[in-house]
Amino acid sequence: MSVTLESLAARLTALEDKEAIRALKAQYLRACDLKQPDVVRDCFAPGDIRIAYQNFPEFTNRDDFVEIYRQMGCQPGVYDIHHATNAEIELTGPDRATAKWALNFRTILTGPRQIVRLAVEYEDVYAKRDGRWWIVETVSYVTSMLTEQVGEDGSVTVIALAEAPAAA
């Protein structure tokens, strides 16, 4: 196997790009959990983008998405936990990439005393502009869901349970 300086440089660039994409996704999810709408906004590219999360309207720009996020997620008594794993990142060009992520999501709603747990699959598209990676498209769909009601006495009752739809 012949290794050249150019091939090593290309491999290093690919590793750095994939790590930058992992860091971007982590920054987005952490900002969602910490209720940092300006950081959430800065993860998405300026201009036309696509955000299509199941059970939400589709968004074509980051500002409209962040406004809904502020209204729904940045409220007292709403605590979210996003843990993405199993990244499959593919560099499709020097400034373009796709990725799939598995998300373990939980939201704790203190007002209605509910806990919602979702398994979610993300399919993302990333673009590199001026040396920086941005999310330009993100689509998600729920694969399973569990909603629990926490009683005043601490008892927990399952109020909704859903499985992924059968494979076609």
Side-chain angles (χ1 to χ4, degrees):
M1 176 178 184
S2 174
V3 178
T4 66
L5 190 54
E6 291 80 18
S7 69
L8 284 175
R11 289 167 54 192
L12 179 59
T13 297
L15 288 171
E16 289 174 335
D17 285 340
K18 287 182 177 184
E19 184 55 32
I21 290 166
R22 279 185 186 85
L24 175 61
K25 188 68 168 189
Q27 178 184 26
Y28 165 69
L29 297 172
R30 184 171 289 109
C32 288
D33 291 346
L34 297 175
K35 303 179 188 301
Q36 298 172 324
D38 293 336
V39 177
V40 168
R41 180 184 181 276
D42 194 47
C43 293
F44 294 96
D48 291 338
I49 60 170
R50 180 174 182 234
I51 302 171
Y53 294 157
Q54 184 177 347
N55 301 322
F56 287 90
E58 189 166 315
F59 299 93
T60 58
N61 68 74
R62 63 189 189 174
D63 293 323
D64 290 346
F65 172 72
V66 169
E67 182 53 35
I68 294 299
Y69 163 72
R70 281 183 204 274
Q71 291 173 21
M72 295 181 71
C74 297
Q75 300 300 318
V78 176
Y79 301 95
D80 292 335
I81 305 165
H82 295 76
H83 289 166
T85 60
N86 304 333
E88 296 179 16
I89 301 170
E90 181 182 350
L91 300 172
T92 58
D95 59 357
R96 201 88 170 156
T98 60
K100 294 180 181 181
W101 306 87
L103 179 73
N104 178 359
F105 172 78
R106 183 176 313 146
T107 189
I108 300 167
L109 306 169
T110 60
R113 301 180 63 89
Q114 292 180 345
I115 301 169
V116 179
R117 303 171 198 233
L118 302 175
V120 178
E121 290 292 320
Y122 276 105
E123 295 178 358
D124 294 347
V125 177
Y126 301 87
K128 189 176 187 180
R129 298 179 186 156
D130 298 321
R132 185 210 154 150
W133 285 98
W134 302 86
I135 302 169
V136 295
E137 181 174 334
T138 181
V139 177
S140 76
Y141 54 94
V142 175
T143 59
S144 66
M145 184 262 304
L146 171 68
T147 302
E148 300 167 302
Q149 184 72 50
V150 180
E152 292 289 333
D153 63 355
S155 63
V156 177
T157 304
V158 173
I159 59 174
L161 180 64
E163 297 177 0

